[in-house]
Every structure is written in C-alpha cells, then in structure tokens.
Amino acid sequence: MSHQLPDQVRTPHVAFVGRANIDITVRIPQRPVAGRTTFASSPATTTPGGKSLNQALAARQAGVRASLITNVGDDEWGASLSRALTNAAIDMSFLQVVPSAPTGTAIIEITPDGENYIVLAHSTETELASEHVRNALQQLRAPIVVTQLDLQPDAVDAVFRHHHAETLIGNLVPHPSLGLTALAPLDLFVSNEAEAAAILGRHHANPSIAAQELRKLGPRAVVVTAGARGAAYSDADHTALVPASHVKAINTSGAGDAFLGTLAARLAHNVPLPHAVAKGVAAATTFVQVDRR
C-alpha cells in the first residue's frame, strides 16, 4: 500500500543523489598571493550548500517534489542543514545522520566580478554508500534521478543498478575509478565548460562542439553550461546554444546548481529539452544577480 499523500502523487518528483555541506563564503577584493594576507571585504557567511542540496532547493522552487539522498554529520552543521531543508519543504526521508561524523564544508571566495573559487573539504565519514543509495531509490521510485558522478564508485554504481527513473541525469566529472564509462548509462549529462574540458582532454571555445563531443561518449543528450553565454545542448535531433541575458553578476556560486535543479524540474513537467534548458538559463541568470549575504 502506498503511503504517499495525494499531492505527492500528483506533483512531479525528482530525486537528487549526492552531497550536502555547509558553505563558508568570504568576499575578497582580489585572490590571495603566496605569502600575503588578503582581507575580506565583509564578514564570512555560513549557509547550506553542496551541489545536490542546492539542486534540490532549485527544483523545489521550480515546482516539483524534491527528494535528497545524502548524509550529514551528527554535529551542529548537520542539524543546521536539516532545519534548512525542512523549512524548504525538501523530502528528507533518506537524509541520514552519521553518528560522530563531521559535516562537510566548502570554503568559497567571491571576487568583485562575481566569480567564485571553491575548496571542498568533504567528510569521508558522510560519503554515500551503495546500500543507502539502493534502498532510497527502490523506495522512492522517482521518475527523474539526478546523481553526482564524482561520488564513491559503489554509490554511483548503485544509482545505475537500482534507479527506476525514466530520465537519469549525471553531473560533474566522473570519479577516476569509473572513468568515462560512467557517461554511457545516462539519459542526460550536464557539465560546465571546465568539467567538459577535463573529460575531453581539451577546451572547446564553442560549448556546442563540446556537447557534441561528450555525446559520443554514450549519453543520449548533453548540456554544457557556459556561464554568461548561456548553455549548449546536444541530442539526437538538435545541437544549439541557448544564450543568456546580459546582466551584472554579483555571485556566481551555485548558479550551475540553480540551472540543473530548474532543468530537472522542467523535464519532470514533460517540457522538451530545449525549452527546459532555456528555463534553466533564465533561473541561473536571475540567481547570479542576488546578493546572498
């Protein structure tokens, strides 16, 4: 017997598999150089973060039921993440609190042009394990699943083996132990230009060409985000660049996650890929104009 509420049955559903962490953000006038101290231009802020958490928040704001499959530590930061997700109405049925483990953190430097530089100190104790992923996906049976491909190989393999999705979306450069074989099972692969270059071994000035090259590695469709230029997509029918509106970026940190969460939500509403990409570009464009201090 199903225990889902009526609104859960009607509302499109997306499950996100990956990390949640705390972001510690500082705004700096310029990046530090060796041996010199750079003073932040404002106090540090501490906010919920992590790619999968950010994507789930964006998808929920775009009108879908968003489930987050992740682990957090049994500490104050883990409790803070749980409160934030509860307040945002994210389904946390498979958010697991790991006893005596620290929650991962990311140090984010924001320069005056809005560019971000991130160092992730992830917690090995809270990395997802295959059993957790398998149980979650088998019970959620979400029609769209978005997974980080840089998770531990057994967790990614569990996604591939046990998802019940009509559309499986992968994000980020695959874990080295998986290599490029991790792209073949995907219905859609989403990366930024730097990630695409890392996978392909070279940078393509035209993101549409990068998307086409990535498709040759096996996924049915590919999207390559290109910052202020928008995002390129390539599937069996079309390859095109969806341009972004010209705006002044205040903070680009998390823009790719806003894009992907919105994209997944639109696909869950059965919007065709080109239109879903356009919605994602619009969401990311709005996102970078917000001062999230």
Side-chain angles (χ1 to χ4, degrees):
M1 177 181 295
S2 171
H3 296 285
Q4 290 182 319
L5 298 175
D7 64 322
Q8 292 178 330
V9 175
R10 290 192 300 268
T11 304
H13 183 198
V14 183
F16 295 86
V17 184
R19 299 186 182 95
N21 55 252
I22 286 290
D23 288 347
I24 301 174
T25 303
V26 292
R27 290 184 172 274
I28 53 176
Q30 67 275 325
R31 297 215 70 205
V33 296
R36 297 286 301 275
T37 298
T38 293
F39 289 90
S41 53
S42 60
T45 59
T46 302
T47 55
K51 296 198 71 65
S52 292
L53 180 148
N54 291 339
Q55 292 162 13
L57 290 174
R60 185 71 186 92
Q61 291 173 355
V64 300
R65 176 188 170 210
S67 297
L68 181 59
I69 302 168
T70 194
N71 292 333
V72 298
D74 185 16
D75 56 12
E76 179 52 40
W77 279 348
S80 176
L81 291 178
S82 296
R83 288 193 297 270
L85 291 166
T86 298
N87 292 339
I90 302 297
D91 172 25
M92 299 194 304
S93 304
F94 295 96
L95 182 146
Q96 182 171 267
V97 179
V98 181
S100 303
T103 299
T105 56
I107 310 300
I108 305 174
E109 299 174 348
I110 307 294
T111 48
D113 60 357
E115 195 55 72
N116 65 89
Y117 303 87
I118 301 173
V119 177
L120 175 61
H122 74 267
S123 167
T124 56
E125 295 96 323
T126 58
E127 286 288 88
L128 283 169
S130 59
E131 183 178 0
H132 182 191
V133 173
R134 181 184 70 244
N135 291 341
L137 292 177
Q138 287 180 338
Q139 293 183 58
L140 288 172
R141 305 184 77 87
I144 292 186
V145 171
V146 181
T147 184
Q148 291 182 226
L149 297 176
D150 67 343
L151 299 172
Q152 291 300 304
D154 63 332
V156 178
D157 184 64
V159 174
F160 293 160
R161 290 176 178 273
H162 301 291
H163 77 86
H164 297 274
E166 299 168 9
T167 303
L168 177 62
I169 303 174
N171 184 217
L172 301 177
V173 178
H175 189 282
S177 298
L178 293 170
L180 302 184
T181 59
L183 301 183
L186 301 173
D187 297 296
L188 175 62
F189 175 59
V190 180
S191 75
N192 62 31
E193 289 185 289
E195 293 158 354
I199 293 170
L200 295 172
R202 59 168 296 189
H203 172 74
H204 289 284
N206 185 341
S208 296
I209 295 176
Q212 288 178 313
E213 291 295 310
L214 287 168
R215 264 198 73 227
K216 294 177 182 178
L217 299 176
R220 288 174 48 206
V222 171
V223 173
V224 176
T225 59
R229 288 179 292 157
Y233 70 90
S234 181
D235 60 17
D237 300 316
H238 301 287
T239 297
L241 175 69
V242 177
S245 301
H246 179 71
V247 298
K248 178 176 174 53
I250 296 175
N251 183 354
T252 60
S253 177
D257 299 328
F259 171 88
L260 182 47
T262 303
L263 170 71
R266 292 300 93 203
L267 293 176
H269 280 282
N270 296 314
V271 173
L273 180 63
H275 300 294
V277 171
K279 291 292 187 182
V281 169
T285 300
T286 299
F287 188 85
V288 300
Q289 298 176 75
V290 177
D291 188 346
R292 295 179 294 281
R293 281 182 284 185

